[in-house]
Amino acid sequence: REYAIVAGLPDVDLSLEGRHVFVDEKGGAPHFEVEVIDPTEDYVALMASLFDFDALRSLLRRPDMSLVFDGMHGVAGPYARAIFGALGVADEALLNCIPSEDFGGGHPDPNLTYAAALAKLMGLTGQPAGGEPPVLGAAADGDADRNMIVGRRFFVTPSDSLAVIAAHAHALPWLARQGGLRALARSMPTSGAVDRVAEELGLPLFETPTGWKYFGNLMDSHLLGGADLSPLLCGEESFGTGSSHIREKDGLWAVLCWASILAHHNVDTPEGQLVGVEEVVTQHWRRFGRNFYTRYDYENVDAAAAEEIVERLRAMGSSFRGAGYGPSEPQLLQDGFALATIDEFSYRDPVDSSTTSQQGVRLLFADGSRIVLRLSGTGSVGATVRIYIERYQPPGDEYALLANATDALRPLVDLALHLSQVRELTGREAPTVIT
């Protein structure tokens, strides 16, 4: 196959909107055209159709309301300036919103490690200079599909963010206009916080392997003769949240969801008594319970050692079932944890009937807690061992609900490290990253 290349074309200034027509030297018919557009216009129009911009402007005009957004020098910046500018947010509240080829020398991952400046500004790592932190803080990654939500001195886990948005579907105009959500979905390693929302709302909940394509299949179900599952809300513990509005993760959309939730809670709230992010999440825990959650990543582990960890857990599962243990007769382990199931996650896609297996070993406990171990990047050189640890606290015990997450998870973390033998088999005393 051959491709014709035209030499000697003048440069097109991609920073200016316009239409450029290229013809041959004799002025004949155009060979082709290049049109430079403003890509933010369509996206801003879409967001304006999904959300109540007037309500958001009213919220953001309040003297006791403040917002800061970190674009992390990625593509989100121009879109954030267009959207938040239309909502009346001052330029100084939009940080790192000029895209940079090297992301300003940083790493554009919206988490507490790489968005450290935002974390400090929000009071998560000490009192920031200049008074009280903003009410709502957010960041998006390099290509704007993932997001981090933080409140004043309060971090919202991605799993909790998904669950809170789902529980507030009635406060999101586009969902209300379509009669509300029809389904919820999460990746298997993501905490079960959204499961409890699905149960109370009577919605189907899909637990999928990691990978957005599985959510995309669910959104396309009606096109392939299956059930119509849209509007569908979905998310992953790796800071990805999205819905069927664009069939993808959408960082800025998630931020607007949270701004809309705050607007909903503060319609009649007197000045000085604004309901903030922490209050919204705490109310959610009191209603649904709290899923304490952490992830331990051991990076560049010897591939053979990583496989040995998985094989150890598989053998443990065989022994567990051989001894007659199961959901009706759990095995009592240290610190009172009752192990009800050990399995390896497999998923049969309800849309195309494909099966995806060996997606991670799950240890499920009778109280709703979980330990999940899965490998990533298992090549000949090395692998990443990821251990997901989740402890469920039912509503009703205020002290337990508001406990420090590290303290609440410590007994289950110790159990996970003991059962997996990850330290002994890898030689690592500590994980590379804790999320």
Side-chain angles (χ1 to χ4, degrees), residues 24 184 234 262:
D24 61 26
L184 294 165
C234 50
L262 293 182

Side-chain angles (χ1 to χ4, degrees), residues 9-30:
L9 286 176
D11 290 337
V12 174
D13 188 347
L14 300 180
S15 67
L16 298 174
E17 293 181 61
R19 181 169 169 262
H20 305 263
V21 180
F22 296 92
V23 299
D24 61 26
E25 294 179 351
K26 298 178 181 179

Side-chain angles (χ1 to χ4, degrees), residues 20 64 103 125 140 143 224 228 253 271 291 348 354 377:
H20 305 263
D64 54 357
F103 304 106
T125 55
D143 59 357
L224 301 173
D228 188 351
W253 168 87
E271 184 179 323
N291 292 69
R348 184 178 185 276
S354 62

Side-chain angles (χ1 to χ4, degrees), residues 65-68 112 118-126 128 132-139 148-157 161 258 262 274-281:
M65 176 62 196
S66 49
L67 174 148
V68 63
L112 296 177
L118 177 64
K120 182 177 181 180
L121 181 63
M122 295 302 297
L124 295 172
T125 55
E132 279 288 270
V135 172
L136 174 62
M148 179 175 72
I149 302 296
V150 288
R152 181 175 287 165
R153 303 186 189 89
F154 188 83
F155 170 67
V156 183
T157 70
S161 180
W258 269 93
L262 293 182
L274 185 132
V275 176
V277 172
E278 182 176 5
E279 290 83 2
V280 169
V281 176

Side-chain angles (χ1 to χ4, degrees), residues 98-396:
I98 304 298
S100 166
E101 290 184 359
D102 66 351
F103 304 106
H107 186 73
D109 250 343
N111 57 45
L112 296 177
T113 298
Y114 296 113
L118 177 64
K120 182 177 181 180
L121 181 63
M122 295 302 297
L124 295 172
T125 55
Q127 178 64 26
E132 279 288 270
V135 172
L136 174 62
D141 70 337
D143 59 357
D145 63 351
R146 292 185 294 130
N147 72 94
M148 179 175 72
I149 302 296
V150 288
R152 181 175 287 165
R153 303 186 189 89
F154 188 83
F155 170 67
V156 183
T157 70
S159 299
D160 275 345
S161 180
L162 173 64
V164 170
I165 294 173
H168 286 82
H170 59 284
L172 304 177
W174 71 283
L175 287 176
R177 288 196 301 268
Q178 296 186 58
L181 287 168
R182 289 187 177 177
L184 294 165
R186 63 167 174 84
S187 64
M188 182 273 286
T190 302
S191 97
V194 74
D195 302 32
R196 307 183 192 285
V197 177
E199 182 180 5
E200 181 164 318
L201 299 182
L203 295 172
L205 184 283
F206 296 90
E207 182 181 29
T208 75
T210 297
W212 209 262
K213 65 180 183 179
Y214 300 102
F215 299 145
N217 266 15
L218 296 173
M219 295 175 195
D220 288 346
S221 174
H222 64 290
L223 301 176
L224 301 173
D228 188 351
L229 301 174
S230 296
L232 179 143
L233 178 68
C234 50
E236 297 179 330
E237 49 78 32
S238 52
F239 296 87
T241 323
S243 81
S244 47
H245 72 285
I246 60 166
R247 202 179 174 274
E248 249 296 356
K249 298 187 286 285
D250 189 346
L252 282 169
W253 168 87
V255 179
L256 292 173
C257 284
W258 269 93
S260 298
I261 290 168
L262 293 182
H264 170 76
H265 280 270
N266 290 286
V267 171
D268 298 314
T269 305
E271 184 179 323
Q273 299 179 33
L274 185 132
V275 176
V277 172
E278 182 176 5
E279 290 83 2
V280 169
V281 176
T282 302
Q283 288 177 25
H284 182 89
W285 292 339
R286 289 177 180 137
R287 179 180 175 188
F288 296 99
R290 180 178 181 184
N291 292 69
F292 292 96
Y293 187 86
T294 190
R295 187 179 95 184
Y296 279 32
D297 287 2
Y298 297 81
E299 298 177 352
N300 296 317
V301 170
D302 176 76
E307 287 293 341
E308 189 175 354
I309 295 171
V310 174
E311 287 301 326
R312 170 184 169 79
L313 294 178
R314 286 172 178 156
M316 187 184 303
S318 297
S319 299
F320 174 85
R321 291 183 291 274
Y325 293 118
S328 61
E329 188 178 344
Q331 181 183 9
L332 190 62
L333 303 178
Q334 67 187 49
D335 292 310
F337 289 104
L339 182 60
T341 301
I342 303 180
D343 67 9
E344 196 159 9
F345 183 65
S346 179
Y347 178 71
R348 184 178 185 276
D349 195 301
V351 178
D352 63 16
S353 299
S354 62
T355 298
T356 307
S357 57
Q358 295 186 336
Q359 292 298 298
V361 180
R362 304 186 302 174
L363 286 75
L364 311 180
F365 297 88
D367 67 349
S369 299
R370 297 190 308 163
I371 296 170
V372 174
L373 188 142
R374 60 186 293 269
L375 305 183
S376 175
T378 51
S380 58
V381 177
T384 296
V385 178
R386 290 197 168 100
I387 304 178
Y388 308 83
I389 301 156
E390 174 184 1
R391 185 173 187 177
Y392 178 62
Q393 173 60 49

